[in-house]
Amino acid sequence: MAPNVEGGVLPAELSFEGPEKKLEVTFEVTSKDALGMRAIGRDDWQTLCTVGECSILNHVRNDHADSYLLSESSLFVYPFRIMMKTCGGTKLLRVIPLLKEYAARCGTRVATIMFSRKNYMYPHLQPVEHSSFEVEKEYLDRYFAGEGRVVGPEDGEHWCVYYSNLLRDEDGLPAAPPPPQPAAARSDCMEIMMLGLDEEVMQQFFKKHAAGTAWEVTRKTGIIDLLLGADQVDDFLFDPCGYSVNALRDDAYFTIHITPESHGSFVSFETNVSVESYDGLCHAVVSLFKPRKFSVAVVRGNDRKVDGKELSNFQGFEEKISSRVDGHWPYHVHFSHYAVE
């Protein structure tokens, strides 16, 4: 099983970086074009992905958002918000200049930006701008005056977060972020990152052992039940192995990415669906994939009251790390890590 702290030593050919880098960007709401960033077409998004060293596999949409399934994870585009996450040795931060250019084309500009990720397993294999969180912060500071924090112990499992609010009031001071738009700016989000997955479960995501098409895999493995009645499901089965799915349910997204090889199995799950508690969904995800260890990052908007723990205990697991930041940004951030007892 691959190590899960920064500084892993597997050979490069076996060292795929599962934990994704993520950019969440909101834009100033304008009346010029209700489509906002959705006016940018697939070809332009592919150009942006090429800069980040990934490609678009497929595209689906509903009335609220466009979903792009990528060769290395996902891109979701709302009128005035985007979420892009990429894994492996991709160069996510390099998309920022072109993203700002696209915003100007749509008559808007960046309002807030959040960059986040779990600690890398193999930082020595990352491109230079992603070689450490300090370097990533320096890169982001070229474009945004923000602040970065590490949630959790820096010498163990942790969550890196950089946030910047570019809005200013009439006195030049940081203004309150724009209120959430019904179909554009959910604050809540849960990410689950799992390592050391059950090998029998992972066999289902090797093409030679799969139940059939990607859609059949989605249904027969039980993944469909984790998508909570999504109206758009876009799944992909890689050759010889690997699986990804994006899904939309009204204005909420779901995304799952699976690297099933036994020497470094990794599964990520993320959604911004609005629920009172993520506890039941998180337990369902862990029960399906059966990891030996996993981390959970939960982000809640400051408009939500957060009392105590978001998640209940997981049978057979010990909570090794629980760390949170409340009210420092317009979010509550809680990071926890669990391992088999």
Side-chain angles (χ1 to χ4, degrees):
M1 183 172 62
N4 68 330
V5 295
E6 298 202 352
V9 294
L10 279 182
E13 64 271 17
L14 298 179
S15 307
F16 181 78
E17 188 68 64
E20 294 104 341
K21 322 163 178 83
K22 183 171 78 166
L23 275 177
E24 296 176 273
V25 185
T26 66
F27 303 88
E28 291 189 23
V29 179
T30 65
S31 58
K32 180 179 178 181
D33 187 347
L35 281 176
M37 297 297 286
R38 295 188 74 187
I40 302 297
R42 175 170 174 162
D43 288 347
D44 284 329
W45 288 120
Q46 178 56 66
T47 298
L48 181 137
C49 287
T50 300
V51 172
E53 299 198 353
C54 57
S55 59
I56 295 173
L57 299 175
N58 202 17
H59 169 218
V60 297
R61 62 187 303 168
N62 65 9
D63 291 340
H64 304 283
D66 288 84
S67 161
Y68 295 90
L69 192 65
L70 307 182
S71 56
E72 279 81 16
S73 297
S74 301
L75 167 66
F76 294 94
V77 182
Y78 295 85
F80 296 101
R81 184 187 186 98
I82 70 105
M83 188 282 277
M84 184 174 184
K85 63 188 302 183
T86 61
C87 59
T90 51
K91 300 173 181 178
L92 180 60
L93 294 183
R94 291 192 182 183
V95 310
I96 289 172
L98 193 53
L99 189 61
K100 294 178 69 176
E101 180 183 314
Y102 288 176
R105 188 191 306 177
C106 294
T108 184
R109 59 181 178 176
V110 173
T112 67
I113 182 167
M114 179 181 277
F115 171 79
S116 60
R117 65 166 177 85
K118 185 182 177 295
N119 53 287
Y120 292 130
M121 296 189 293
Y122 313 109
H124 60 291
L125 298 179
Q126 286 294 316
V128 62
E129 58 268 55
H130 289 287
S131 55
S132 72
F133 189 45
E134 288 301 317
V135 171
E136 289 165 330
K137 288 190 293 183
E138 291 173 5
Y139 191 97
L140 286 157
D141 280 340
R142 299 180 193 176
Y143 304 97
F144 315 105
E147 180 188 7
R149 280 199 173 192
V150 173
V151 186
E154 293 192 32
D155 60 350
E157 306 295 337
H158 58 263
W159 187 251
C160 302
V161 183
Y162 177 99
Y163 177 80
S164 179
N165 176 9
L166 281 74
L167 299 176
R168 294 293 181 267
D169 61 20
E170 59 186 15
D171 296 320
L173 299 174
Q181 307 113 51
R186 292 178 177 271
S187 297
D188 296 348
C189 180
M190 176 179 69
E191 296 185 55
I192 310 171
M193 296 137 286
M194 294 166 276
L195 286 154
L197 287 305
D198 182 271
E199 291 192 22
E200 186 174 340
V201 173
M202 290 296 97
Q203 284 297 306
Q204 301 173 97
F205 306 104
F206 284 81
K207 204 159 190 178
K208 65 181 181 181
H209 301 302
T213 65
W215 173 239
E216 289 171 317
V217 170
T218 300
R219 288 188 301 108
K220 293 179 180 179
T221 59
I223 285 175
I224 190 67
D225 298 325
L226 304 178
L227 307 180
L228 305 184
D231 53 85
Q232 294 288 333
V233 177
D234 184 16
D235 42 25
F236 194 91
L237 189 61
F238 293 86
D239 190 6
C241 64
Y243 168 92
S244 290
V245 62
N246 282 355
L248 296 169
R249 190 188 84 173
D250 298 325
D251 61 342
Y253 66 76
F254 301 80
T255 182
I256 301 172
H257 302 282
I258 299 174
T259 301
E261 294 96 329
S262 59
H263 60 262
S265 59
F266 179 84
V267 176
S268 68
F269 173 95
E270 178 177 347
T271 184
N272 68 341
V273 68
S274 183
V275 291
E276 188 63 30
S277 171
Y278 284 121
D279 188 56
L281 181 56
C282 187
H283 275 75
V285 171
V286 172
S287 295
L288 191 152
F289 292 110
K290 299 179 173 60
R292 292 191 59 79
K293 46 190 171 181
F294 64 96
S295 300
V296 185
V298 174
V299 177
R300 294 288 199 181
N302 272 351
D303 56 333
R304 292 183 64 102
K305 185 177 181 181
V306 176
D307 292 321
K309 293 179 61 176
E310 175 85 24
L311 306 175
S312 61
N313 293 332
F314 290 81
Q315 186 175 1
F317 288 89
E318 180 183 356
E319 185 178 45
K320 299 287 190 178
I321 296 167
S322 179
S323 184
R324 64 188 305 148
V325 176
D326 289 316
H328 183 74
W329 301 294
Y331 307 99
H332 303 279
V333 179
H334 182 211
F335 176 78
S336 52
H337 179 72
Y338 302 81
V340 170
E341 291 179 328

